[in-house]
Amino acid sequence: MARKPRTIITCAITGAIHTPTMSDALPYTAEDIAHQAIAAADAGASILHLHARRPEDGGVSVDTEHFRAFLPQVKQATDAVVNISTGGSLTLSIADRVKPAETFSPEMCSLNMGSMNFSFHPLAKRYDSWKFDWEKDYVEGSEGNIFRNTFKDIREAATRLAPHDIKFEHECYDVGHLYNLKFCMDIGLFKAPIFIQFIFGILGGIGPEVDNLIFMKRTADRLFGDDYRWSVLGAGGAQMPLATTASQMGGNVRVGLEDSLFISRGVLAESNAQQVAKIRRIVEDLGCEVASPDEAREMLGLKGGDRVNF
Ligand code: KMH
Ligand code: ZN
């Protein structure tokens, strides 16, 4: 029997776009981000998707000094691939959002493949108290925000980052984003193999049903043939079920507190590493093996950890 491909586990340590600090486990200081990223890598994550936050109040940050405060530590302690977010926040310009990736030239960075509603305002009703002052207004205000990722923004990000030979994690929240990506590939913005993160369950994007995963995968097969690798991110309660399904379909998986604060229904996760350990256990129990960082580098055609700037 042919050996199943290895499963790459990405761990998204601390998103800032849609995850305020509503769990004490969510890291927001540089020390905690580094500590949890290293523990997630030790637990089996071969890629670490990283945002920065303001250490004083956990707010969204694209300040390069906030990234500098944890990147060298992560690099020294692990061999994991570092993937820097260019998502930033719902209100920043693309030039500001790509600055950390331009500065640190990581092996990977995220790239969001279309403009969309990206809302988490229903969360506001679930909380009576907030850890920091900015959080309630930010969460409620997401009802009126557009997450802007126009073709011009995508071209600007790709052009600014082209000299750095960075592999993009193309974040596709709906089927139209796959067609956007195809258009961008056809005009020469990205090199094969591209890496697509199929995202399910964000309010504004496609819902977290298995049918939708199959539809996204079938569409990507038609558009990209052998020129792509893929992974699945289910937001909130869809995280583990969709990751499990993806791994059984030969795909890769993304977990992490950025996308779900929970380890099981109604139970907050203690850490990112706990989520990585859980999906690793499931993947291995079901007969697959997880990819090491070097195997992930080979599968995705990455430039190598010695060519980053931190
Ligand atoms: N948390 C994801 C749903 C980015 O960093 O570029 C969105 C995200 C965007 O990861
Ligand atoms: Zn992110």
Side-chain angles (χ1 to χ4, degrees):
M1 204 166 75
R3 207 180 79 172
K4 285 191 186 174
R6 306 245 164 173
T7 306
I8 299 171
I9 302 177
T10 297
C11 187
I13 303 296
T14 182
I17 301 176
H18 61 117
T19 337
T21 58
M22 287 162 324
S23 160
D24 287 338
L26 194 77
Y28 62 91
T29 64
E31 293 70 27
D32 276 352
I33 291 171
H35 172 76
Q36 287 217 29
I38 293 162
D42 289 345
S46 44
I47 301 177
L48 300 167
H49 170 99
L50 294 164
H51 291 244
R53 289 175 179 261
R54 292 190 300 261
E56 61 278 14
D57 66 1
V60 177
S61 173
V62 289
D63 183 333
T64 52
E65 292 314 306
H66 291 155
F67 281 87
R68 203 187 302 282
F70 58 75
L71 286 174
Q73 256 177 286
V74 172
K75 184 179 169 191
Q76 274 155 29
T78 83
D79 184 33
V81 173
V82 166
N83 166 335
I84 291 182
S85 169
T86 67
S89 88
L90 298 180
T91 51
L92 291 168
S93 72
I94 195 70
D96 287 337
R97 285 162 44 187
V98 299
K99 196 89 200 146
E102 262 182 312
T103 306
F104 297 109
S105 195
E107 288 181 86
M108 296 185 75
C109 69
S110 63
L111 188 56
N112 295 273
M113 293 312 298
S115 300
M116 59 189 287
N117 292 338
F118 187 134
S119 197
F120 31 93
H121 66 279
L123 278 181
K125 292 203 191 71
R126 289 204 225 152
Y127 294 88
D128 298 327
S129 62
W130 302 83
K131 195 185 289 181
F132 296 113
D133 288 346
W134 61 272
E135 295 181 303
K136 185 167 187 284
D137 286 350
Y138 181 74
V139 171
E140 286 177 351
S142 68
E143 185 181 12
N145 287 136
I146 292 171
F147 188 30
R148 187 192 140 129
N149 299 287
T150 63
F151 283 111
K152 195 167 174 217
D153 292 336
I154 293 167
R155 181 166 53 75
E156 181 171 342
T159 313
R160 280 175 179 262
L161 296 173
H164 295 276
D165 195 13
I166 298 172
K167 181 68 67 179
F168 294 103
E169 175 196 12
H170 293 283
E171 305 217 353
C172 292
Y173 301 75
D174 215 326
V175 74
H177 295 182
L178 297 175
Y179 287 85
N180 295 351
L181 177 53
K182 171 70 174 156
F183 170 81
C184 293
M185 256 195 114
D186 287 347
I187 61 169
L189 288 185
F190 309 119
K191 278 197 300 237
I194 52 169
F195 181 56
I196 303 178
Q197 192 70 254
F198 298 137
I199 300 181
F200 302 91
I202 296 292
L203 184 56
I206 200 166
E209 286 85 33
V210 171
D211 242 10
N212 289 339
L213 165 53
I214 291 167
F215 178 45
M216 291 282 275
K217 162 82 169 52
R218 205 170 53 222
T219 305
D221 284 345
R222 192 170 62 245
L223 295 175
F224 306 110
D226 290 335
D227 285 347
Y228 86 107
R229 309 284 174 266
W230 62 283
S231 174
V232 164
L233 176 181
Q239 184 181 67
M240 293 292 166
L242 279 186
T244 304
T245 308
S247 73
Q248 285 298 290
M249 290 168 61
N252 303 290
V253 302
R254 171 166 146 176
V255 295
L257 298 179
E258 166 165 349
D259 303 312
S260 170
L261 296 174
F262 295 88
I263 191 69
S264 58
R265 195 174 167 81
V267 181
L268 287 172
E270 287 162 14
S271 65
N272 281 280
Q274 191 189 21
Q275 290 184 342
V276 173
K278 177 169 177 173
I279 194 62
R280 179 184 190 159
R281 199 165 55 241
I282 293 170
V283 164
E284 290 179 344
D285 279 355
L286 294 177
C288 297
E289 287 177 71
V290 300
S292 68
D294 279 343
E295 286 166 340
R297 287 185 173 97
E298 198 183 324
M299 290 160 72
L300 302 181
L302 306 186
K303 65 181 176 180
D306 52 343
R307 292 183 49 211
V308 299
N309 189 25
F310 52 90

Coordinates of all heavy atoms in Angstrom, one line a residue, residues 6 16 34 46 62 64 83 87 94 101 129 132 144 177 197 225 227 273:
R6 N 2.7 12.8 4.6 CA 2.7 13.3 5.9 C 1.8 14.5 6.1 O 1.6 15.3 5.1 CB 4.1 13.8 6.2 CG 5.2 12.7 6.0 CD 5.8 12.2 7.2 NE 6.5 11.0 7.0 CZ 7.2 10.4 7.9 NH1 7.5 10.9 9.0 NH2 7.8 9.2 7.6
A16 N -4.8 38.3 16.1 CA -5.2 39.5 16.8 C -6.4 40.1 16.1 O -7.1 41.0 16.5 CB -4.1 40.6 16.8
A34 N 6.4 33.6 22.6 CA 7.6 32.8 22.4 C 7.4 31.4 23.1 O 7.6 30.4 22.5 CB 8.9 33.5 22.8
S46 N 4.9 21.9 12.7 CA 6.1 22.2 12.0 C 6.0 23.7 11.4 O 7.1 24.2 11.0 CB 6.2 21.2 10.8 OG 5.0 21.0 10.2
V62 N 1.3 45.7 14.4 CA 2.1 45.3 13.3 C 3.5 46.0 13.5 O 4.3 46.1 12.6 CB 1.5 45.7 11.9 CG1 0.4 44.8 11.6 CG2 1.1 47.2 11.9
T64 N 7.1 46.4 14.2 CA 8.2 45.4 14.0 C 8.9 45.1 15.3 O 9.4 44.0 15.5 CB 9.2 45.8 12.9 OG1 9.6 47.1 13.2 CG2 8.5 45.8 11.5
N83 N 6.0 31.6 10.1 CA 5.0 32.2 9.1 C 4.5 33.4 9.8 O 3.8 33.4 10.8 CB 4.0 31.1 8.9 CG 2.7 31.6 8.2 OD1 2.4 32.8 8.2 ND2 2.0 30.7 7.6
G87 N -2.1 39.7 7.9 CA -3.5 40.0 8.1 C -3.7 41.3 8.9 O -4.6 42.1 8.7
I94 N -2.5 47.8 3.5 CA -1.7 46.6 3.2 C -0.2 46.9 3.4 O 0.6 46.1 3.8 CB -2.0 46.1 1.7 CG1 -1.4 44.7 1.5 CG2 -1.5 47.1 0.7 CD1 -2.1 43.6 2.3
A101 N 6.7 41.2 7.6 CA 7.2 40.2 6.7 C 8.4 40.8 5.9 O 9.4 40.1 5.7 CB 6.1 39.6 5.8
S129 N -17.9 41.0 31.0 CA -16.8 41.7 31.4 C -15.6 41.5 30.4 O -15.6 40.4 29.8 CB -16.3 41.4 32.8 OG -16.0 40.0 32.8
F132 N -9.6 44.1 28.7 CA -9.0 45.4 28.3 C -10.1 46.3 27.7 O -11.1 45.8 27.1 CB -7.9 45.2 27.3 CG -6.7 44.5 27.9 CD1 -6.4 43.2 27.4 CD2 -6.0 45.0 28.9 CE1 -5.3 42.5 28.0 CE2 -4.9 44.3 29.5 CZ -4.6 43.0 29.0
G144 N -19.3 46.4 11.3 CA -19.3 47.4 10.2 C -18.0 47.4 9.4 O -17.8 48.3 8.6
H177 N -12.5 33.2 -3.6 CA -11.1 33.5 -3.3 C -10.1 32.5 -4.1 O -9.0 32.9 -4.4 CB -10.8 33.4 -1.8 CG -11.5 34.4 -1.0 ND1 -11.4 34.6 0.3 CD2 -12.4 35.4 -1.4 CE1 -12.2 35.6 0.8 NE2 -12.8 36.1 -0.3
Q197 N -4.7 27.7 2.3 CA -5.3 27.5 3.6 C -6.8 27.7 3.4 O -7.3 28.8 3.2 CB -4.9 28.4 4.7 CG -5.3 28.1 6.1 CD -4.6 26.9 6.6 OE1 -5.2 25.8 6.7 NE2 -3.3 27.0 6.9
G225 N -4.7 21.9 -10.3 CA -4.1 20.6 -10.6 C -3.1 20.2 -9.6 O -3.4 20.2 -8.4
D227 N -0.4 21.8 -8.9 CA 0.4 22.9 -8.5 C 0.1 23.5 -7.1 O 0.4 24.6 -6.8 CB 0.2 24.1 -9.5 CG 0.9 23.8 -10.8 OD1 1.8 22.8 -10.8 OD2 0.6 24.5 -11.8
A273 N -0.2 24.4 22.6 CA 0.4 23.0 22.6 C -0.6 21.9 22.8 O -0.5 20.8 22.2 CB 1.6 22.9 23.6

